[in-house]
Amino acid sequence: MLNEPLIQMKKINKSFYGVHVLKDIDLDVYKGEIHAICGENGAGKSTLMNILTGSLMPDSGEIIYDGKEVKLSSPKDAQNLGISIVHQELSLFPHLSVAENIYAGRLPIKKNNIIDRQKMNSMASEILNRLNANIDVEVIVSDLSISKQQMVEIAKAISMNCNVLILDEPTSALTEAEAEDLFKVLKLLRESGIAILYISHKLNEIFNNCQRCTVMRDGAHIWTKKISETSDDEVVSSMVGRKIDNIYPAKGKKGNKVLLKVKGLTRHGVYKNISFDLYDGEILGIAGLIGAGRSEIARGICGIDHVDSGEVELLGEKMPLNDVRKSIDKGLIYITEDRKSQGLFLQMSIKENIVAPDLKQISNNGFIKEKLVTKISEEFKERLNIKCRDVNQKIINLSGGNQQKVLLSKWLYVNPKVLILDEPTRGIDVGAKHEIHEILRKLSNEGRGVIVISSELPEILGISDRILVIHQGEITGEISAEEASEELIMQYATGRRNDYKKIEVKEA
């Protein structure tokens, strides 16, 4: 690390409609370091990065690049300095090739104004080889996995002589193995002298891979420290502005009442002979590698996707398979992992989203009772601590954590008996995660059934009273909270252990 930072942001201020979102922010970044930016959603991280990449202009303050003050009036100004960003939601052209995406807008042209594809493919291959990325440059991007698409985004940034690379939640949709591959690439980039700003809510990634950490809260710079000089407890408490003694709520007490019974559930080629019971007073965790079939099983149980055979009983009543409307009416609910495209109406208001599952409750002779809608949504706003201007605010303008609370409110509105939540805290900050976990434990303690699917092993271990592990469409293990560990879960998740007692139900 050199004595002088590559970038210095000094006393940066920014307001929107009279709301002060950045308050005298200072940030410095050195060549050859991975610098973590931590903070809750709404802390100002994205606004600060948008200023650094020229997408926004600060109201006041200065940016110094390589010892000289610069004005970044547009993304092009930032790109000319070698400042690039890879957003959480990738911005590739899905129907173009890898090479065409890397050089979009800068395609090499022959004298006759025809694209020089040989040169383009050769340059793209050279960059991907630098990243140790085994990707065919002529493949259409939509045919690649998310992790490889992300590598294409990084290659695109490197192709523009990148000196500063900003990564926003880069592992949110990656498996652990894919995340490890990404960090190997980041290590290569760091060793080549590139400065990396790393935004993530995953503290284990930060402590394993970053050299320094900056914490922001409510638009203010709280502190910047070397990773070796801080702890995950200090980062969390600094982010939320209070000490969180227990990141996860106390474990529940399993009762004797079976809320949900699944027997021999099978969908040919996807999963088979899924059998388990869910008891009152417990949170049942479902773990497994991405692609193991966890979401498909949950959607099958709730009647969303087709099931070939098996039985599902809710409070002793046999449920019809493949009938999602009946599942909802009876109180068996699936809450999707993809809140933006499958869970919420982003352009509609909070109150419209909350009452969407059952309009009969709030209508009379086809007319919506607006006062009742407002009353119900205000109750959920208070109950789940949804931070918003008011319940008329559009979903798209909420943070990820508050969007998730609205999604949960939407399904609590129908008074469910059992909720299956798929990745309930993906992409939300530590403070919001803590609130969601507390809500789930309260629901379980009230007698509702709660099943949590999560790819984050710390979350599965922290929230679950009992854990089922899925491998290639089968349950391979059942683990109590007392015996659970990341190592044991991974043994079952990779198929190295398989000792779960299965109950087969013959097809009708």
Side-chain angles (χ1 to χ4, degrees):
M1 203 179 288
L2 301 177
N3 291 329
E4 289 296 321
L6 178 62
I7 288 179
Q8 291 175 283
M9 302 182 80
K10 295 183 176 181
K11 303 297 181 185
I12 301 294
N13 285 274
K14 185 67 180 177
S15 295
F16 294 105
Y17 308 107
V19 179
H20 206 172
V21 296
L22 291 180
K23 309 162 188 173
D24 289 331
I25 292 285
D26 291 329
L27 177 69
D28 54 46
V29 188
Y30 290 83
K31 290 182 179 180
E33 76 163 338
I34 304 178
H35 188 134
I37 308 293
C38 297
E40 292 188 279
N41 289 330
K45 306 185 300 294
S46 296
T47 302
L48 186 65
M49 294 304 104
N50 283 333
I51 288 173
L52 183 56
T53 54
S55 296
L56 289 174
M57 289 286 289
D59 296 334
S60 62
E62 59 181 340
I63 299 174
I64 297 172
Y65 181 87
D66 203 16
K68 298 178 181 178
E69 185 174 357
V70 293
K71 298 292 183 183
L72 303 178
S73 304
S74 69
K76 189 67 176 175
D77 291 341
Q79 288 175 9
N80 289 339
L81 292 176
I83 302 172
S84 298
I85 185 168
V86 176
H87 294 281
Q88 182 177 357
E89 299 190 8
L90 304 180
S91 56
L92 298 171
F93 298 103
H95 302 302
L96 297 182
S97 72
V98 168
E100 287 169 331
N101 268 277
I102 291 174
Y103 288 100
R106 302 170 294 126
L107 300 174
I109 303 295
K110 295 179 181 179
K111 289 182 179 179
N112 55 4
N113 287 327
I114 295 176
I115 297 171
D116 191 339
R117 293 192 175 277
Q118 184 176 356
K119 182 179 180 180
M120 177 182 69
N121 290 341
S122 176
M123 292 190 303
S125 295
E126 184 180 340
I127 290 172
L128 289 167
N129 288 338
R130 280 177 57 193
L131 301 176
N132 289 335
N134 184 24
I135 301 174
D136 184 346
V137 296
E138 296 186 71
V139 167
I140 300 301
V141 158
S142 59
D143 293 334
L144 297 177
S145 66
I146 293 297
S147 62
K148 288 189 175 181
Q149 288 184 30
Q150 196 170 60
M151 208 59 66
V152 174
E153 283 270 28
I154 293 173
K156 181 179 178 180
I158 300 304
S159 75
M160 293 185 278
N161 299 316
C162 175
N163 297 312
V164 180
L165 179 62
I166 303 167
L167 297 169
D168 188 0
E169 295 287 348
T171 64
S172 61
L174 303 188
T175 66
E176 288 193 24
E178 289 170 339
E180 287 178 11
D181 290 339
L182 173 65
F183 290 124
K184 289 176 184 176
V185 170
L186 297 188
K187 185 173 184 290
L188 288 173
L189 296 177
R190 180 174 69 83
E191 290 172 349
S192 71
I194 291 176
I196 299 170
L197 282 165
Y198 191 84
I199 301 172
S200 178
H201 297 308
K202 298 181 179 180
L203 296 184
N204 60 321
E205 293 179 355
I206 290 169
F207 278 84
N208 289 335
N209 298 284
C210 299
Q211 285 68 56
R212 288 195 301 155
C213 175
T214 289
V215 173
M216 296 176 63
R217 185 175 72 243
D218 297 330
H221 173 268
I222 304 302
W223 52 252
T224 297
K225 295 183 180 181
K226 292 180 179 179
I227 289 294
S228 58
E229 296 173 351
T230 186
S231 66
D232 51 1
D233 285 342
E234 183 182 23
V235 171
V236 170
S237 60
S238 298
M239 283 169 57
V240 301
R242 64 188 187 281
K243 185 171 178 57
I244 297 180
D245 296 319
N246 297 300
I247 294 178
Y248 296 100
K251 298 292 184 181
K253 187 175 181 181
K254 177 182 170 184
N256 297 316
K257 184 179 180 181
V258 176
L259 301 177
L260 180 70
K261 181 181 284 290
V262 178
K263 294 192 291 186
L265 203 69
T266 297
R267 181 181 176 188
H268 299 316
V270 182
Y271 53 83
K272 61 181 179 180
N273 296 326
I274 301 299
S275 303
F276 65 88
D277 293 339
L278 171 67
Y279 292 86
D280 64 311
E282 70 168 350
I283 294 179
L284 178 65
I286 297 184
L289 302 178
I290 291 176
R294 300 165 305 167
S295 299
E296 291 81 359
I297 291 167
R299 291 170 64 89
I301 290 170
C302 296
I304 300 169
D305 293 341
H306 177 75
V307 172
D308 292 310
S309 61
E311 296 177 5
V312 176
E313 292 182 10
L314 181 66
L315 295 174
E317 179 183 352
K318 190 172 180 179
M319 300 289 292
L321 299 178
N322 309 316
D323 189 339
V324 63
R325 185 68 254 177
K326 182 70 73 174
S327 294
I328 293 172
D329 291 343
K330 292 291 184 180
L332 177 56
I333 300 298
Y334 170 77
I335 299 182
T336 178
E337 62 182 321
D338 188 353
R339 60 179 173 264
K340 289 189 176 180
S341 65
Q342 297 181 9
L344 295 166
F345 303 105
L346 297 182
Q347 296 297 335
M348 295 174 70
S349 68
I350 293 169
K351 67 180 185 182
E352 289 169 327
N353 271 270
I354 289 176
V355 300
D358 188 359
L359 297 180
K360 291 179 182 178
Q361 286 191 49
I362 47 84
S363 62
N364 185 18
N365 294 323
F367 292 95
I368 301 295
K369 301 176 182 177
E370 288 294 341
K371 288 184 179 179
L372 181 57
V373 171
T374 300
K375 180 176 180 292
I376 291 170
S377 53
E378 287 285 359
E379 287 173 355
F380 278 109
K381 173 179 174 287
E382 296 302 317
R383 181 178 169 189
L384 273 69
N385 191 28
I386 300 170
K387 296 174 184 175
C388 58
R389 184 182 64 248
D390 55 51
V391 294
N392 295 303
Q393 189 171 350
K394 286 186 177 181
I395 294 294
I396 198 169
N397 296 323
L398 298 179
S399 69
N402 286 302
Q403 287 181 357
Q404 192 68 20
K405 290 178 189 177
V406 174
L407 180 59
L408 189 51
S409 299
K410 172 181 172 179
W411 291 111
L412 289 178
Y413 164 67
V414 300
N415 194 26
K417 298 179 177 70
V418 171
L419 299 98
I420 305 178
L421 301 103
D422 201 346
E423 304 287 0
T425 64
R426 173 176 285 172
I428 67 177
D429 59 66
V430 175
K433 279 187 178 184
H434 179 70
E435 289 183 281
I436 294 290
H437 293 149
E438 291 283 356
I439 291 166
L440 297 183
R441 179 56 67 187
K442 185 177 180 181
L443 292 172
S444 176
N445 291 341
E446 289 173 352
R448 300 182 199 266
V450 177
I451 298 176
V452 173
I453 300 170
S454 178
S455 300
E456 294 187 30
L457 291 183
E459 178 172 59
I460 280 288
L461 292 168
I463 194 68
S464 307
D465 302 300
R466 188 164 52 100
I467 301 166
L468 298 179
V469 187
I470 311 293
H471 171 67
Q472 293 183 350
E474 293 188 78
I475 299 177
T476 50
E478 178 181 344
I479 312 170
S480 67
E482 292 75 23
E483 65 176 338
S485 67
E486 291 193 16
E487 292 75 16
L488 184 56
I489 290 174
M490 288 306 297
Q491 286 179 18
Y492 286 114
T494 55
R496 282 181 286 163
R497 290 184 63 161
N498 187 340
D499 52 27
Y500 189 72
K501 184 179 179 181
K502 296 175 179 62
I503 304 170
E504 295 196 25
V505 175
K506 294 180 180 179
E507 293 187 47

